Amino acid sequence: MTQGERQGRHEESHGAALGSRLNWLRAAVLGANDGVVSTAGLVVGVAGASAERSTLLTAGLAGLLAGSMSMAAGEYVSVNTQRDAEKAALAVERRELREDPEAELDELTRLLAARGLSREVAREAAEQLTARDALRAHADVELGIDPDALTNPWHAAWASFLAFTAGALLPLLAIVLPPESARLVVTVCSVLAALVLTGWTSARLGGAPPGRAVLRNVAGGAAAMAITYAVGTLLGATGAA
């Protein structure tokens, strides 16, 4: 392998790894954000109906466990479905390469030409990529899949579980640790500060301006807490809670 080929492969691997890490980081930030908002809405709503610390702790823990398990299960199913689809697509490519390699070479040439290469250069590139690793070439160019980097559903499930749990712990601790007189203020301020951080982080990771993302995130969280608190207060006042 020439120095240029080694450098190209290194850059491709580095770019793919970086993209994968960024995707995982964005998912972790969004999972933590979900944990903050959903648990904050729950405990603030219960706080509107009851001042009992044990009641708030029970509701918060139940919300944390239910939310984290739901996130983990959903992510596991989703990633498993995606992984099965990717494996099925790779199996089709293996069969087509085995049964009709010339047609697959022509297809790869057309795909590369569609990306802006001249027909001659596209053909030469297709032949070189096929000689090196035909399946990887088709998986990358045609399917957008790295055969050696299929997402692990267990990793995704655990990441979602831990991210949601980390986010949910903030409003849970904020509502049960302070004295009753400061409980609501501490929780609201802590949650809004966390939402500023997660909104800013998710925007920066996605390359978007953070201002609007932060505003949307904070407004959504504030609205959730206000609505659930109003409902909890109403239920508490009417004796329904």
Side-chain angles (χ1 to χ4, degrees), residues 106-116 122 138 141-143:
D106 292 339
E107 181 183 34
L108 184 59
T109 300
R110 290 194 301 272
L111 291 170
L112 291 172
R115 295 188 174 188
H138 279 269
V141 177
E142 183 178 349
L143 304 175

Side-chain angles (χ1 to χ4, degrees), residues 154-179:
W154 284 108
H155 291 171
W158 276 110
S160 295
F161 179 89
L162 294 175
F164 187 96
T165 299
L169 281 173
L170 173 67
L172 175 58
L173 295 177
I175 203 73
V176 299
L177 293 182

Side-chain angles (χ1 to χ4, degrees), residues 13-200:
S13 175
H14 178 73
L18 178 60
S20 177
R21 286 196 297 271
L22 288 176
N23 286 334
W24 278 105
L25 189 53
R26 276 194 291 269
V29 170
L30 294 175
N33 191 80
D34 287 343
V36 170
V37 174
S38 60
T39 306
L42 175 61
V43 296
V44 167
V46 174
S50 172
E52 292 292 328
R53 181 175 273 110
S54 60
T55 301
L56 295 172
L57 179 61
T58 300
L61 284 175
L64 184 154
L65 291 173
S68 59
M69 293 297 292
S70 175
M71 288 282 291
E75 195 70 13
Y76 179 82
V77 171
S78 174
V79 173
N80 246 325
T81 301
Q82 176 185 341
R83 184 183 177 92
D84 289 344
E86 290 174 344
K87 291 170 71 173
L90 290 173
V92 170
E93 284 301 320
R94 288 191 187 93
R95 177 173 52 84
E96 291 177 345
L97 285 166
R98 183 175 60 253
E99 295 176 354
D100 198 347
E102 282 302 318
E104 290 300 296
L105 180 60
D106 292 339
E107 181 183 34
L108 184 59
T109 300
R110 290 194 301 272
L111 291 170
L112 291 172
R115 295 188 174 188
L117 299 178
S118 67
R119 177 73 184 182
E120 293 76 16
V121 173
R123 184 69 178 188
E124 181 179 354
E127 290 173 349
Q128 292 184 14
L129 290 171
T130 298
R132 180 183 299 175
D133 191 331
L135 178 61
R136 178 177 294 277
H138 279 269
D140 180 28
V141 177
E142 183 178 349
L143 304 175
I145 298 173
D146 183 349
D148 297 327
L150 300 182
T151 305
N152 188 313
W154 284 108
H155 291 171
W158 276 110
S160 295
F161 179 89
L162 294 175
F164 187 96
T165 299
L169 281 173
L170 173 67
L172 175 58
L173 295 177
I175 203 73
V176 299
L177 293 182
E180 182 179 342
S181 59
R183 188 175 291 161
L184 193 60
V185 173
V186 170
T187 302
V188 170
C189 291
S190 300
V191 167
L192 294 182
L195 293 178
V196 169
L197 178 60
T198 56
W200 183 88

